[in-house]
């Protein structure tokens, strides 16, 4: 999936990211400098710092996760829940992140479809299933997968079959047909489309259409 290298946000959120890094690992530059100047131990210094509020913890968790890759609101919400952040605090922080554009499920869905279709050859059905598991709203899923039309889906299916044809040569006809059609089915292609694409590819390779009729239904 194409990574977004820059997420729009407020200066407060950017500053919070830096503060979160220093506080999280406990070994930031300021911490090391303070230990050297005071001569005290890291543990004694840490003991004098005020504990972070749940809101500060939630912001730090979200910023750290978003630094790695874009996440959906549901994914971040699950992460906050697992770390014991109160639900009301989590909802407030997540809504704030949405307001400033740090969370954008529509953009996430669009980038996911683009990446997974062109990178893995997944069809609309498989893409929609993946986005549902990530908690994307159904309307946003429909909008994202709707950008792939039937012609694009069939073209991609044919490319997948063409790449697999050579590896299946030498197999008996029935096993070859099942392997090619099964590959497309696992990537979410409808049965009718999968059979049609496989049939056409094998006919162009020189297979006898009459023999194919014995193994594949008319589509």
């Amino acid at each position: 999936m194409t990574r977004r290298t820059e997420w729009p946000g407020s200066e407060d959120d950017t500053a919070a990211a830096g503060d979160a890094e220093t506080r999280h690992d406990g070994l930031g530059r300021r911490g090391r400098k303070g230990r050297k100047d005071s001569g005290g131990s890291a543990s004694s210094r840490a003991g004098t710092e005020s504990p972070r509020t749940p809101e500060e913890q939630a912001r730090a968790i979200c910023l750290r996760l978003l630094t790695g890759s874009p996440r959906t609101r549901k994914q971040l919400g699950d992460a906050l829940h697992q770390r014991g952040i109160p639900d009301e605090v989590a909802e407030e922080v997540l809504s704030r992140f949405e307001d400033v554009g740090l969370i954008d499920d529509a953009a996430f869905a669009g980038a996911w479809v683009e990446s997974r279709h062109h990178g893995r050859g997944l069809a609309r059905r498989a893409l929609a299933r993946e986005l549902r598991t990530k908690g994307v709203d159904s309307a946003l899923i429909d909008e994202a997968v709707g950008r792939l039309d039937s012609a694009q889906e069939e073209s991609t299916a044919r490319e997948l079959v063409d790449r697999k044809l050579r590896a299946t040569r030498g197999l008996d006809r029935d096993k070859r047909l099942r392997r090619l059609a099964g590959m497309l089915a696992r990537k979410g292609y409808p049965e009718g489309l999968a059979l049609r694409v496989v049939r056409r590819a094998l006919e162009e390779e020189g297979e006898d259409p009459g023999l194919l009729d014995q193994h594949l239904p008319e589509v």
Side-chain angles (χ1 to χ4, degrees), residues 36-157:
K36 180 178 180 180
D37 293 343
S38 66
S41 66
S43 60
S44 62
R45 180 178 177 83
T48 64
E49 295 181 351
S50 300
R52 290 183 295 176
T53 65
E55 181 179 2
E56 291 174 329
Q57 294 177 40
R59 287 165 57 86
I61 291 168
C62 290
L63 287 168
R64 186 166 60 250
L65 291 173
L66 289 170
T67 297
S69 64
R71 310 290 179 112
T72 66
R73 178 172 177 137
K74 174 68 161 53
Q75 288 176 308
L76 292 173
D78 288 345
L80 295 179
H81 179 74
Q82 291 171 3
R83 289 163 175 78
I85 302 298
D87 290 343
E88 62 274 14
V89 173
E91 287 300 309
E92 181 179 349
V93 170
L94 293 173
S95 294
R96 170 59 179 160
F97 273 45
E98 278 189 326
D99 290 342
V100 300
L102 289 168
I103 300 175
D104 188 338
D105 282 3
F108 179 97
W112 186 268
V113 168
E114 178 75 14
S115 174
R116 298 287 283 177
H117 179 73
H118 292 290
R120 298 290 301 278
L122 298 186
R124 287 174 290 187
R125 184 168 58 188
L127 292 166
R129 183 170 58 246
E130 289 187 340
L131 288 171
R132 281 195 296 271
T133 66
K134 297 183 181 300
V136 178
D137 182 77
S138 296
L140 296 180
I141 293 175
D142 292 342
E143 180 181 352
V145 300
R147 296 170 191 167
L148 291 176
D149 58 26
S150 299
Q152 176 62 55
E153 202 170 48
E154 183 163 346
S155 175
T156 302

Side-chain angles (χ1 to χ4, degrees), residues 132-196:
R132 281 195 296 271
T133 66
K134 297 183 181 300
V136 178
D137 182 77
S138 296
L140 296 180
I141 293 175
D142 292 342
E143 180 181 352
V145 300
R147 296 170 191 167
L148 291 176
D149 58 26
S150 299
Q152 176 62 55
E153 202 170 48
E154 183 163 346
S155 175
T156 302
R158 179 57 195 266
E159 291 174 5
L160 292 169
V161 170
D162 287 345
R163 290 203 297 265
K164 192 77 171 177
L165 274 176
R166 179 175 296 181
T168 63
R169 287 172 187 161
L171 299 176
D172 65 71
R173 184 176 293 105
D174 186 58
K175 183 177 291 186
R176 194 180 191 197
L177 294 172
R178 284 188 283 107
R179 182 164 298 183
L180 291 170
M183 177 267 295
L184 292 179
R186 287 190 297 274
K187 291 182 179 292
Y189 290 89
E191 182 183 20
L193 171 61
L195 294 175
R196 183 170 67 252

